[in-house]
Amino acid sequence: MNEVTAAVALGQFRKLDSIRAHCRSLSRRIMTHIGHLKGIQFRRIPDPTGDSGFEIYFWLPTAELAKQFMAALMERGIPCDRMTGTYSHYAREYCQGAYCYHPKASPFRHFAEWPAKGYRAVDFPKTELLVDRVVSIPLGTLYRTEDADVIAEAIQEVHGELMG
């Protein structure tokens, strides 16, 4: 890391507590409005003081319902597409394509068949059942209280339409 990058990182690090507090507040506000919705299973947070508040995760009963739910939210302008934490390591492009640094230095270069066992979705049936049913709602520093209310209202509307 060069000095300029370090200076920017240090400046951001100084804001971390306020950023986290803001995102946690948004998350709590949304959860207050949607926490009662039937058929939605929320991520268990064993240590709320350690939660960043940057995303709300929940699971729906089926993969098809999750897909429909996300499409309906995105039609309303609510971002909820797959992002970090909502897909598995083995599903990442560099794993599926056996890419990792230069081909001669790739840790995958010795495998005759690719994806090899341990890097295929079929090797993780329980994980696949979870990741296909997850909906992730990102939150960020630029989101306002009003944005949290719009997100909560959209989730309630979609829930009523699809799971009513």
Side-chain angles (χ1 to χ4, degrees), residues 8-28:
V8 171
L10 185 59
Q12 290 299 97
F13 185 72
R14 289 181 182 129
K15 296 189 242 177
L16 183 60
D17 288 340
S18 64
I19 290 171
R20 238 185 356 218
H22 175 69
C23 289
R24 286 175 179 163
S25 172
L26 295 171
S27 181
R28 278 191 306 272

Side-chain angles (χ1 to χ4, degrees), residues 38 156-164:
K38 298 221 183 294
Q156 290 171 326
E157 286 175 6
V158 171
H159 180 272
E161 291 171 11
L162 297 177
M163 301 174 72

Side-chain angles (χ1 to χ4, degrees), residues 20-103:
R20 238 185 356 218
H22 175 69
C23 289
R24 286 175 179 163
S25 172
L26 295 171
S27 181
R28 278 191 306 272
R29 186 174 185 90
I30 294 169
M31 290 301 293
T32 297
H33 294 291
I34 68 169
H36 68 283
L37 298 175
K38 298 221 183 294
I40 292 180
Q41 178 186 354
F42 292 95
R43 176 180 71 147
R44 182 170 106 27
I45 301 173
D47 177 14
T49 62
D51 183 38
S52 67
F54 287 103
E55 290 178 327
I56 294 174
Y57 295 100
F58 58 87
W59 287 266
L60 296 173
T62 67
E64 184 58 33
L65 185 56
K67 186 177 177 181
Q68 292 171 356
F69 208 100
M70 288 190 294
L73 285 176
M74 287 191 277
E75 284 176 9
R76 289 167 169 79
I78 308 300
C80 61
D81 205 1
R82 291 197 174 223
M83 54 197 75
T84 303
T86 61
Y87 60 95
S88 302
H89 177 73
Y90 55 81
R92 295 173 191 245
E93 183 180 346
Y94 73 87
C95 282
Q96 290 301 302
Y99 310 123
C100 188
Y101 308 105
H102 188 275

Side-chain angles (χ1 to χ4, degrees), residues 124-146:
F124 305 95
K126 290 180 183 177
T127 300
E128 287 299 304
L129 287 174
L130 288 173
V131 298
D132 287 343
R133 295 176 25 233
V134 72
V135 175
S136 176
I137 309 294
L139 301 172
T141 58
L142 299 180
Y143 283 52
R144 301 164 299 152
T145 301
E146 296 82 11

